[in-house]
Amino acid sequence: MQVEQAYAKLSSVMGKSRVKRNEPMMRHTSFKIGGPADLLTCPETREQLLYCYRTGRAYDLPVFLMGNGSNLLVGDLGIRGMVLKTAGGYEDMTVEGERVRVQSGMLLSRLTNAALKHGLTGMEFACGIPGSVGGAVVMNAGAYGGQMADVVETVTAYDPQTDTVRTFDADELDYGYRHSIFRDNDMIVLEATLRLIRGSAAQSRETMKDLNCRRREKQPLNMPSAGSVFKRPEGYYAGTLIQESGCKGMRAGDAMVSEKHAGFIVNAGKATARDVLDLIEQVRQTVHEKAGVWLEPEIHIVGEMPDKN
Ligand code: FAD
């Protein structure tokens, strides 16, 4: 790994504001947890994004792609190599009729507002999901009866194996519950075309207001978290199982099972990734003992952890 050389080259081409050395990942995750990334780059165009990726690989750095960091638990020792972050830069959007073509770093909150301004409906379900379009396309993010699979028409992605860019139709994406083909490969989602419906902006605004209200009532939005920690086990709701197993308020260090929504683990102060992992394990054991179900994490756990003492 030649981090210094990659840093020198990238910062001379992209400028120091878009390339950071030893960048604390706690600044880039909704959990506010995570040690330093050796290098973090924030491209603004497809050319820059591919340039960052190829330069990273040319200097032998592993490259981790992130959107807005709202579904990530980053290790306390950080991430070796390069983090390529799409949110906060790579976020152009064009609207043609009922089609919206959008780059993967665009935040869903901004996208839903922009759709509303164009009188396009169908994205309301996503207004309170704090992720990027790329993260949402990969995860098939969804809420309140809607999901990305309902609106995605095509996805354009970069395949590092063949160094080519390819466009996929929706029916090639193998969409399922929080699943797409991009969860099983190392492709980078560059852009998506979404097919929306012309409708009433006033009604759309009302729906979004109502959904955000319901979210504020049910979810601990005033505390750092990564949303629901566990996948929904078949036939159950993870939050209900956790609550019924008596885990609300359970803690490991400053990581705590939310009192408001048992499916969330919150950072109640200075939680470390190790605290969160320990709490995940306590919750899994307890739910298994009480309900006979093994929960599996939905959040993505990346980077290096210190050894357990
Ligand atoms: P990140 O967290 O940055 O990354 C997640 C994964 O996607 C990583 O593996 C990353 O490598 C990969 N990835 C990201 N961008 C790309 C790309 N361009 N190409 C290839 N891979 C990529 N989720 C829901 O589905 N529904 C909800 O209602 C919901 N509510 C939430 C509420 C709160 C308060 C929080 C904190 C989270 C919530 N989430 C919810 C989880 C999260 O917001 C979604 O999973 C979101 O889609 C993640 O997007 P992101 O850009 O933050 O992805």
Side-chain angles (χ1 to χ4, degrees), residues 6-282:
Y7 174 63
K9 178 144 194 192
L10 286 166
S11 55
S12 73
V13 172
M14 294 191 23
K16 290 211 159 132
S17 64
R18 302 232 148 245
V19 186
K20 310 241 190 236
R21 180 85 173 92
N22 288 326
E23 176 68 4
M25 288 301 293
M26 65 197 307
R27 293 187 187 151
H28 301 273
T29 59
S30 56
F31 244 142
K32 307 230 175 299
I33 292 175
D38 288 338
L39 214 59
L40 182 134
T41 59
C42 299
E44 286 187 291
T45 62
R46 185 196 286 195
E47 288 66 35
Q48 281 184 0
L49 190 151
L50 295 180
Y51 177 72
C52 287
Y53 183 87
R54 288 172 177 142
T55 305
R57 296 303 298 135
Y59 286 101
D60 215 16
L61 309 188
V63 179
F64 174 68
L65 205 289
M66 71 177 281
N68 201 36
S70 65
N71 208 25
L72 293 183
L73 178 66
V74 177
D76 300 312
L77 298 181
I79 298 183
R80 303 290 70 82
M82 179 195 288
V83 174
L84 224 169
K85 180 177 177 182
T86 59
Y90 184 58
E91 52 189 15
D92 264 4
M93 171 180 149
T94 50
V95 179
E96 259 180 50
E98 295 174 347
R99 284 198 175 83
V100 180
R101 186 161 180 79
V102 62
Q103 290 178 330
S104 57
M106 167 72 90
L107 294 185
L108 292 171
S109 53
R110 285 189 58 202
L111 172 63
T112 48
N113 277 315
L116 186 131
K117 283 198 187 106
H118 284 86
L120 295 174
T121 72
M123 279 299 297
E124 292 80 358
F125 72 88
C127 66
I129 302 177
S132 66
V133 166
V137 162
V138 169
M139 298 291 297
N140 188 18
Y144 303 110
Q147 54 180 353
M148 290 305 287
D150 301 339
V151 291
V152 168
E153 191 170 65
T154 64
V155 173
T156 301
Y158 170 69
D159 183 353
Q161 303 294 332
T162 54
D163 195 28
T164 53
V165 170
R166 195 185 144 189
T167 297
F168 296 83
D169 288 330
D171 59 11
E172 294 178 275
L173 300 178
D174 192 28
Y175 268 137
Y177 171 70
R178 303 291 174 266
H179 181 266
S180 75
I181 52 165
F182 302 113
R183 293 214 61 178
D184 308 325
N185 61 37
D186 56 358
M187 288 191 205
I188 297 175
V189 172
L190 297 172
E191 281 143 37
T193 305
L194 312 175
R195 185 74 188 257
L196 303 180
I197 303 162
R198 204 148 286 289
S200 151
Q203 199 176 335
S204 195
R205 193 174 292 112
E206 273 313 300
T207 307
M208 280 160 57
K209 236 166 95 182
D210 173 50
L211 295 184
N212 279 333
C213 211
R214 282 159 66 181
R215 231 176 236 281
R216 273 195 303 276
E217 264 169 32
K218 295 247 165 68
Q219 298 181 359
L221 299 185
N222 57 341
M223 296 180 96
S225 78
S228 297
V229 171
F230 297 100
K231 289 184 189 146
R232 194 169 64 206
E234 199 139 339
Y236 299 94
Y237 286 103
T240 312
L241 282 177
I242 297 168
Q243 181 172 341
E244 288 173 355
S245 304
C247 299
K248 266 192 175 178
M250 187 183 260
R251 286 180 85 117
D254 269 349
M256 185 175 86
V257 176
S258 167
E259 297 276 7
K260 199 166 179 182
H261 187 313
F264 281 50
I265 286 179
V266 293
N267 177 354
K270 293 200 166 124
T272 61
R274 171 55 63 199
D275 292 338
V276 176
L277 286 183
D278 287 348
L279 186 55
I280 286 176
E281 216 29 59
Q282 283 182 44

